[in-house]
Structures are given as structure tokens and as C-alpha cells.
Amino acid sequence: MLKIAVLVSGGGTNLQAIIDAVETGTISNTKIEVVISNNKNAHALERARQKGIEALCISPKDYESRAEFNKEFLEKLNTYEVDLVVLAGFLVVIPEEMIAKYRNRIINIHPSLIPSFCGTGYYGLKVHEAALARGVKLTGATVHFVDEGTDTGPIILQKAVAVEPEDTPEILQRRVMEQAEWKILPEAINLIANGKVSVENGHVKIGG
Ligand code: GRF
């Protein structure tokens, strides 16, 4: 049984996709141990509580320094002894000591086809604004392992989504969520839960 922690900051639609996929069996062999947010008002926390999943807020604002937050955050996470940490719209920088401890056991969903429109400053609507400004005809989403960089870890899954002529950033964001994010994040978790994902020389192999 793969034990997972899901880290969130906002509405939690990706968390909901994971919860629903576990319930329907699209994700097998997996248990959501805890949902953690840096934002006490994140609707994602309410989504977890509605399903009886432990949900808590640990915010950098409640600590004297970022270093103190990082220490407390990692110590709290470690108490759950999870196998996989899923970043589902988590807007806090992951501490380097956490990346080291959970090497290739932290995954993130990014709303573009990495290496396009990613890295520092590319999050939320900003990603879709950049895609529309560039005039790309295809965008999409990427699930990747988290390393010390920003959106630079080994890519696990990607799914392309068409950009339509009348798209606004909001319309495009919603389509990327519906057609890509909510599908490939659960799929990636299911693959990991069933031993189908490995990392060799910085590249992900799926299958076997
Ligand atoms: C999604 O657009 C995701 O791609 C990005 O943050 C957003 C989270 O949305 N990482 P939600 O909280 O899952 O609804």
C-alpha cells in the first residue's frame, strides 16, 4: 500500500481528482495519509475533511524564520512515514533537506508541457498567460519528480491540450485542468503505487 501525503495551497481540484480516483479504483494500492496546506483557508483542506482525511495547516507565517518553518514542516511530515509526497498546487518552496530525504519520492503537477513556460515565476494563471502571449497551438500539463531546481526534475507523464482561438487564461487553465492535470496526476500516482516507475540517469522509465 502506497502511503501518500498531498500538499496543497488552493482550491484543491487536483486533490479532489486524487480522492475520486482512489475511491473509484483508478488509483489502486494507495492511501492518502494526510493533506497539508500552508494556507488555512485553502478549500483543499475542506475537501479532505469531507472525506475524513487528516488535514492540517502549517504556515511559514507562524514561524520566526523560514529555516524554523522548514524544520518543523519536515519533522511533521516525517511523522506520517509516507512513501510519496504529492505537490498539488503547493506554492511553498520545498526545503532542500526534504528533497534530499525524499529523493525521487516527491512529485509535482505543472500546468504546461515542461520545458515550456516553467521555472521561477511560472505558476497558476501566469503559465497560461505566457502560453497565450507566445501563441502556442498546444499546451498541456506535466507530472515530474521534484529536485533542487524549479520544475526541473525527471518528467513522469505529460498530456497535450489544444489552445483555442478565443481562449482567455482562465478558459485555458480550466481546459488544461480538466483534460490533462486531473488525468495524469492520478495516473502517475497509480503507476508509482504499482511499481511501474523508475528513474535511470535522470530519466523516468515506465512499465515492466
Ligand atoms: C493547478 O493549476 C496546478 O497545475 C498548479 O496549481 C493549480 C492547483 O489547482 N500547480 P488546485 O488547487 O488543484 O485546484
Side-chain angles (χ1 to χ4, degrees), residues 6 13-15 17-18 21 27 84-89 107-110 141-144 156-157 180-192:
V6 185
T13 62
N14 278 283
L15 168 66
I18 297 167
I27 296 178
L84 182 71
V85 179
V86 180
L87 309 185
I107 65 174
N108 180 51
I109 176 80
H110 182 76
T142 302
V143 181
H144 64 94
I156 303 168
L157 292 176
E181 297 179 38
W182 301 345
K183 296 183 184 303
I184 63 174
L185 186 54
E187 183 182 352
I189 294 168
N190 187 57
L191 287 168
I192 293 167

Side-chain angles (χ1 to χ4, degrees), residues 149-161:
T150 304
D151 304 328
T152 54
I155 290 172
I156 303 168
L157 292 176
Q158 294 188 297
K159 185 166 177 52
V161 173

